[in-house]
Structure formats: C-alpha cells, structure tokens
Amino acid sequence: MAKTLFEKVWERNLVTQETDERPAILHISLHLVHEVTSPQAFTVLRERGVKVRRPDLTLATIDHSVPTLPAGPSGELPYVTDAARNQVETLRKNCAEHGVPLLDLGDDRRGIVHVVGPELGRTRPGMTVVCGDSHTSTHGAFGALAFGIGTTEVGHVLATQSLLQRRPKTMRVNFVGTPSDTVTGKDLALAMIAKIGTQGGTGYVLEYTGESIRALSMEGRMTLCNMSIEAGARAGMIAPDETTWSYLDGAAGESVSRDDNLFTDEDAIFDAEIEIDASAVKPMVTFGTAPDAAIAASASVPAGVEGIDYMDLEEGQELTSVAVTTVFVGSCTNGRLEDLRAVGKVLGGRKVADGVKMLIVPGSEQVKRDAESEGLHSLFLEAGAEWREPGCSMCIAMNGDRGQPGDLVVSTSNRNFKGRQGEGVRTVLASPLTAAASAVAGHIADPGEYL
Amino acid sequence: MSIEAFTSLTSRTVVLPEENIDTDQIIPARFLTTTGRDSLADACFHDWRFEASGKMTDHTLNTTDISSHKILVAGNNFGCGSSREHAPWALMALGFRAVISTEIADIFRSNSLKNGLLPVIVPPEVLADLHEQPGVEISIDLDAEELRFGNHVVSFSTEPFARRCLLDGQDSLDVLLSAVPDIEAFEGAQS
C-alpha cells in the first residue's frame, strides 16, 4: 500500500500499535534535553527510583538560561538571576547522576538544542526526535519525525525511551513555482502560516514538497520545519535527498549510508493538501501579535487584524514606514551560518542606522567559530552590531537579553507574541536578509535594494 | 503512582474572550527558570494581572475568586506556542481545573491532561453562549463526557486513554514502565 513519508517513519519506530483504549507506543531514536523543561522530569525519576533508560540516545545542552555576554574578570558568567544559574547547575547535576552526555558551558560543541542536533550529525532521516521544546519540529528537515513534548513526557522518555502517542493526521504543503533570490525559507514559512493560520496545522504532521523545497539548503529547510509549530502542527517533514545526505556526510565527517525508502509514495493519501505559489511569495514580516499576521514587507497593514493596537500600527500604514529600535539575529529558527552569511551580505560596507541596536547571536559554538573564521564577526562589529556568545537569547528573552517597553524589534526568531521579547516589546518576525536591511534602514525594509 | 483524579466538577466560569492566548501569556518565559513546579500562581497571566511596578491590575483574574470559578472559558485556539508544561501548572496553581474553547493547541492539551486540568472543546455557538454569561455555573461530567449549564447539555470528547487515566487517577508512566519488555524487544530487533 502506498505510504506517506510520515507513515513510513511512524511504522519504523512503532513498538506497539494503537488500540481504541491505548495510544501507540512509539520508540524515540534521539531525546534532546535542555535546562528549562527537564528539572521536574528528573525529579520524578528520582522520586520513583528510576534511572535514565538510554543515556546513549539522550543528549543535553545548555541554551535558554545562559548569558550571551562573556564571563567577567573573575570568570563569573553574568546570569540574569540566581535561579537561572541554579537551573544550569541543576541540569549539570542531573546529567552527571544519570550518565547523560551534556554539552556543557566551555564545550566547543555546545549551542541551541535544535542547532547542535543536526550539526553534530545526531539527527538522521527516519528517526523519531523529541525534546521538551516546541521547535523540535526543526529536525523534520532531515526526514525525521520530530516534535515537542511537555515535561511529563520528558520524564516518560527518560524512563522508557518511549512515548504513548495517537497517530496524527497528515497534510501535504506543496510549494509550486520558484521564488526570487530575496525569498528565504523564513519567508516561505511565514507565507504558509499566513495562509493556513496559527491553528491550521493543529492535529497534523506537515510534509513540505515542491521544487522550491528541493532548492532549499538544509538550513532553509530547518527554518521552514522549525516554524511548523507556529501553524499549530506537531511536526513538519521534508523527504531526504542528496542535499540532506551530503549535509550529513559533512556533519559526520564520513559518508553516511543512504536510505532510499524515505519518501512519500506516488499514490499515498494525505488527510489534507494545500498548495502555495512560491513564485508569488515576497520577503515577509509580521505586523500583529501572532505569527499568522504576516505580509510582504513592501505592503501596508491590512484592516481588521487583532494585535495592531499593541503593535502601535494603523490600518493602511506602509510597513516600510515603521521605525525600528532593535534588530535581533539568532535563534533555532535563523541562527545558523547561512543566516549569518545572509546578514553579512547586507551589512558589508554599511552601518547599522543611528539609534538602532543590533544583536547577532550565533546558534552554537561551531556557528560562532565558522563565522569568525570567515571574518563575519569583524564585518558585524564594523557595521555597529553586537556579536555575542551562543544561546537562545532574545528569542525567548529569559536570560536577560530583552527589549524595553515600546521597543520595536525586527527579529529572526519565531514568535511575535505580546511581551515575548520583554514586557511591552513589539516583535516583527522576518528573515535574516530583511532583519539586516531593516537594521541599516532604521525602519522595516525589503532586502531587495540592499543586495 | 497516582495523579490527581478528575471525575466531575461543578464550578463557575471566568471568561477570557481573547483568541490565540499563547503559553507566553499564560506564563511569561522569565518565570521558567524554576526547577520546581510549585509557587507558580503569581506567574500565571502575570503581565495581565500585574503592572511593571508590581501593582495588581483590575483584571477579571484578580477580581474573581478562582476557588469558586475553576473553569476558564477562553477564546478560540487557547494554549498555542511553547510546549512549556509550566502553563497548565500555573493555571492549576491559580485554581483552575478545566479550560473550555473551540480549539486547544496540541501540546498544551496533552500537558493539561497529564496534570488533571481538563481541556474541553465545544462548538462555536456554545462558546459564544458561554462568553455572554461570565460566571455561569457549569457541571462537567468526564465519565459521561457532558457539560451542563442552564438548560444546555453539551457533549464533548476526550482521548479515551487520557480520560481513563484522569478518571482513575492513573499515571500514564506506569503504563509505559509496564511495557518495557516490549520496548526491549523492539530495540533488540532493531540492533
């Protein structure tokens, strides 16, 4: 019988089938762990006297609570609070107690959980990947089934390497046509979310198909899959191809064996299908307080959308007239080398506009090293931007990197919710190209004229 | 081990009519540096309930006695965004035991069910009705999968396994732990 990519990956990892009374038991190939959503799960294990069942399939990193400013003269990291420091130390203790490998501070492989998994070659096609983090959908770019879970389920995976799961529905999102050079994976993601809404994907695993998806790099595919959750979907997937395998060869440092069966069969049936004309997508920005309030940066604020009051925008206002106070480049959505290169293309030989603060935060130690070896950090610093240590930073704003009330932040992250980047802060989501163009212009800008 | 059971609940409602209430609203990220799950009541909807100075606002969540209003009636698409289980923990710390909407985001719903916070999906006309009657008393019967208010009887459905766990107060981790022989057999066949 013809099967979708999702069905093939689901069946491969199925321990027991679901029944009316009980969900399926799904085996987890890779469990990623970070400091914020794991402590209470380790507490449950301790209370029950249960050990981590497969530390070899578990990988922990530190990303959310860690400062992105370097240590002071005494070697002390400038944690935002004692609680943040304690959370990092708690993860360290828990990993040591259970033999879980940890990419600790000072480890040259550390970084944002969804940047390091692929970068270290741990995320592979056909796997199930979970983490107590909704943006785990990122790893679907490799043809893995990857989704975010809550802390109770983190405990389930730590204890049993498995989860009780009902089989989700499937939706094909087919991108037709070829977009222009200024349109990135981020713009395709925002266009898709604008079309189907923040609950359009609820209950579904999305599979992205079409020539413009094949043309995306792995970085662009990760950005698109990362944003699947912003459409309400549990996961997004892209069938592996030579782009995937050669990325993995590079990450693994050797030729990895190709799996030729990870694709949707021609006659396979999805529960839903939508089509998006990629050739019509332009560089996108958000203008409201949910990610589906997205439109071309060159357009005007449409009528009747909730959230424009909070954003202090008016219906009919041209988005390019909106002044910017801050630009943030980074996060698991857009904190990879390709994203920083894109910023470099725009910032090269230009300056960040007067009065605009620009923060550039690499997604991992490796991204930082690679960017510095290409001289990108010098270019950023010369343009007037700040170059920080790796972490989640202003995407979730829980480490002290945050805006002030009233700030308007053009951000390469994933959520424009009220107060996400600090109380009273207004967030405009955009691609790295658009963010960099806006930093130079001092207002929201289409990157076209800066390339 | 057991979790707090949920069989039935009769309580009044608090209405938050906004659509797309995300988990950053339910509990802002700066409160996530905790390593426990208690003491999250003040963090719940913190930036709706407190001014930057720390002064309480006159928001309905501050002016209502949640101990007699344990049912949150929200706008469409409640709980979207981050997977933080701190969101249901915080709602329960404030006193809520059930959330009613026309759509509740996947991960939030899954997290709520594991903690004894009952997510209830109702049709749009029922939600509109509830929005017009803030504070109305509702009886929720999870065994019958029915909620009653005024002259209305509305049925809802809950994933059968999660429903059973809630009715019995059973921790689903026990089910997984008892399946470890199957999990070992699967891993053995893989390697």
Side-chain angles (χ1 to χ4, degrees):
Chain A
M1 204 183 105
K3 289 175 183 167
T4 63
L5 169 64
F6 161 78
E7 288 171 309
K8 291 178 182 179
V9 178
W10 175 265
E11 286 171 8
R12 267 185 198 195
N13 294 286
L14 207 52
V15 175
T16 59
Q17 297 274 3
E18 66 184 315
T19 64
D20 287 348
E21 292 77 34
R22 201 178 80 175
I25 296 179
L26 191 67
H27 191 261
I28 301 305
S29 322
L30 175 64
H31 183 199
L32 299 165
V33 172
H34 65 69
E35 71 273 27
V36 179
T37 54
S38 65
Q40 299 86 351
F42 280 107
T43 301
V44 168
L45 260 61
R46 203 166 293 122
E47 285 167 359
R48 284 174 160 260
V50 175
K51 296 296 283 181
V52 173
R53 191 159 169 278
R54 294 293 302 267
D56 56 321
L57 303 183
T58 312
L59 178 65
T61 188
I62 298 167
D63 52 7
H64 284 63
S65 297
V66 68
T68 57
L69 288 167
S74 60
E76 274 284 284
L77 278 170
Y79 281 100
V80 62
T81 56
D82 288 340
R85 178 189 291 104
N86 177 58
Q87 194 168 58
V88 168
E89 286 168 2
T90 301
L91 179 63
R92 204 172 274 146
K93 279 184 218 149
N94 285 332
C95 288
E97 182 183 332
H98 289 271
V100 170
L102 170 66
L103 306 175
D104 204 342
L105 302 175
D107 190 312
D108 66 6
R109 301 164 300 169
R110 187 190 67 84
I112 303 176
V113 64
H114 310 308
V115 176
V116 297
E119 195 173 72
L120 299 173
R122 293 295 301 269
T123 303
R124 296 290 179 96
M127 277 185 164
T128 48
V129 180
V130 299
C131 176
D133 194 292
S134 61
H135 291 109
T136 308
S137 58
T138 310
H139 306 263
F142 292 83
L145 173 61
F147 54 93
I149 56 178
T151 296
T152 299
E153 290 190 323
V154 170
H156 290 182
V157 183
L158 290 174
T160 69
Q161 202 59 29
S162 298
L163 280 175
L164 289 155
Q165 290 288 303
R166 288 287 175 193
R167 193 165 111 151
K169 295 179 286 184
T170 56
M171 184 190 297
R172 171 155 41 199
V173 181
N174 191 34
F175 286 88
V176 297
T178 305
S180 78
D181 290 347
T182 56
V183 171
T184 67
K186 182 64 158 287
D187 303 299
L188 296 179
L190 288 171
M192 186 261 306
I193 298 162
K195 183 177 171 107
I196 71 172
T198 53
Q199 67 179 70
T202 301
Y204 290 95
V205 167
L206 312 181
E207 183 181 346
Y208 300 109
T209 60
E211 280 314 300
S212 49
I213 301 302
R214 293 288 137 221
L216 285 175
S217 65
M218 284 317 297
E219 286 83 351
R221 295 179 190 187
M222 283 189 260
T223 302
L224 176 60
C225 288
N226 171 282
M227 296 287 285
S228 304
I229 180 71
E230 308 313 333
R234 284 305 291 277
M237 300 177 82
I238 295 174
D241 57 14
E242 195 44 40
T243 302
T244 321
W245 299 116
S246 50
Y247 177 100
L248 288 167
D249 289 346
E254 60 180 10
S255 180
V256 304
S257 65
R258 271 58 174 157
D259 183 330
D260 295 331
N261 193 32
L262 287 169
F263 58 88
T264 289
D265 297 328
E266 206 166 309
D267 298 328
I269 295 166
F270 290 84
D271 296 299
E273 299 202 39
I274 62 160
E275 194 163 278
I276 291 172
D277 181 2
S279 67
V281 176
K282 294 184 173 138
M284 301 284 286
V285 293
T286 58
F287 56 88
T289 54
D292 58 353
I295 199 166
S298 54
S300 303
V301 178
V305 178
E306 218 177 289
I308 66 169
D309 287 349
Y310 177 85
M311 293 300 292
D312 200 19
L313 301 176
E314 284 172 23
E315 288 177 12
Q317 182 180 359
E318 284 191 13
L319 284 158
T320 51
S321 74
V322 176
V324 170
T325 61
T326 313
V327 173
F328 169 65
V329 174
S331 83
C332 60
T333 312
N334 280 123
R336 299 182 180 81
L337 185 61
E338 179 181 282
D339 302 315
L340 302 185
R341 285 176 176 158
V343 171
K345 266 190 218 162
V346 174
L347 285 191
R350 296 195 176 97
K351 294 279 185 203
V352 174
D354 281 347
V356 174
K357 175 187 166 87
M358 185 176 193
L359 201 62
I360 304 179
V361 183
S364 69
E365 296 286 351
Q366 184 179 316
V367 169
K368 180 168 184 262
R369 267 194 314 279
D370 291 347
E372 291 184 351
S373 74
E374 293 183 11
L376 282 169
H377 67 309
S378 311
L379 185 157
F380 297 154
L381 293 169
E382 278 163 26
E386 292 182 46
W387 177 238
R388 294 288 187 92
E389 300 297 317
C392 300
S393 185
M394 268 188 86
C395 172
I396 187 162
M398 63 180 288
N399 74 332
D401 296 345
R402 59 206 307 252
Q404 296 301 313
D407 278 358
L408 189 129
V409 185
V410 177
S411 178
T412 67
S413 56
N414 39 58
R415 291 188 172 132
N416 54 341
F417 300 151
K418 286 177 191 168
R420 169 90 175 176
Q421 297 189 296
E423 291 160 85
V425 174
R426 300 171 294 154
T427 301
V428 170
L429 302 177
S431 74
L433 285 175
T434 302
S438 302
V440 170
H443 53 78
I444 291 175
D446 183 298
E449 57 190 285
Y450 295 86
L451 291 168
Chain B
M1 301 284 276
S2 59
I3 59 163
E4 198 176 328
F6 187 114
T7 50
S8 62
L9 171 68
T10 299
S11 192
R12 296 186 178 279
T13 65
V14 176
V15 175
L16 299 179
E18 292 86 348
E19 295 198 348
N20 302 319
I21 294 177
D22 57 77
T23 55
D24 276 82
Q25 307 309 310
I26 300 170
I27 177 167
R30 62 185 185 281
F31 297 106
L32 305 186
T33 50
T34 176
T35 55
R37 45 184 289 180
D38 302 326
S39 317
L40 293 175
D42 277 353
C44 187
F45 281 106
H46 183 278
D47 295 347
W48 294 24
R49 294 169 54 217
F50 298 92
E51 293 174 5
S53 65
K55 189 177 162 232
M56 263 197 177
T57 64
D58 59 3
H59 194 277
T60 179
L61 289 169
N62 288 331
T63 57
T64 306
D65 176 7
I66 306 295
S67 69
S68 58
H69 294 70
K70 296 179 181 175
I71 300 172
L72 177 59
V73 175
N76 183 42
N77 196 30
F78 186 78
C80 56
S82 151
S83 63
R84 61 192 68 168
E85 198 160 320
H86 310 68
W89 294 338
L91 287 166
M92 292 186 78
L94 201 58
F96 290 113
R97 293 300 312 275
V99 179
I100 300 177
S101 178
T102 37
E103 182 67 274
I104 297 178
D106 279 340
I107 309 179
F108 176 83
R109 179 164 31 182
S110 162
N111 288 340
S112 296
L113 287 166
K114 291 179 180 67
N115 286 278
L117 178 71
L118 186 70
V120 179
I121 305 283
V122 296
E125 61 276 13
V126 173
L127 193 71
D129 225 353
L130 289 171
H131 278 189
E132 283 168 17
Q133 311 175 53
V136 69
E137 187 170 271
I138 300 185
S139 288
I140 302 175
D141 180 341
L142 179 58
D143 195 27
E145 296 190 292
E146 272 178 3
L147 61 86
R148 293 164 186 271
F149 64 100
N151 300 321
H152 301 268
V153 180
V154 181
S155 55
F156 62 93
S157 75
T158 307
E159 192 281 306
F161 176 75
R163 177 169 157 271
R164 197 70 256 162
C165 287
L166 279 176
L167 288 171
D168 298 346
Q170 187 187 16
D171 187 339
S172 51
L173 177 54
D174 289 324
V175 175
L176 275 175
L177 286 170
S178 68
V180 164
D182 292 335
I183 296 165
E184 282 173 349
F186 172 87
E187 290 175 337
Q190 257 196 334
S191 59

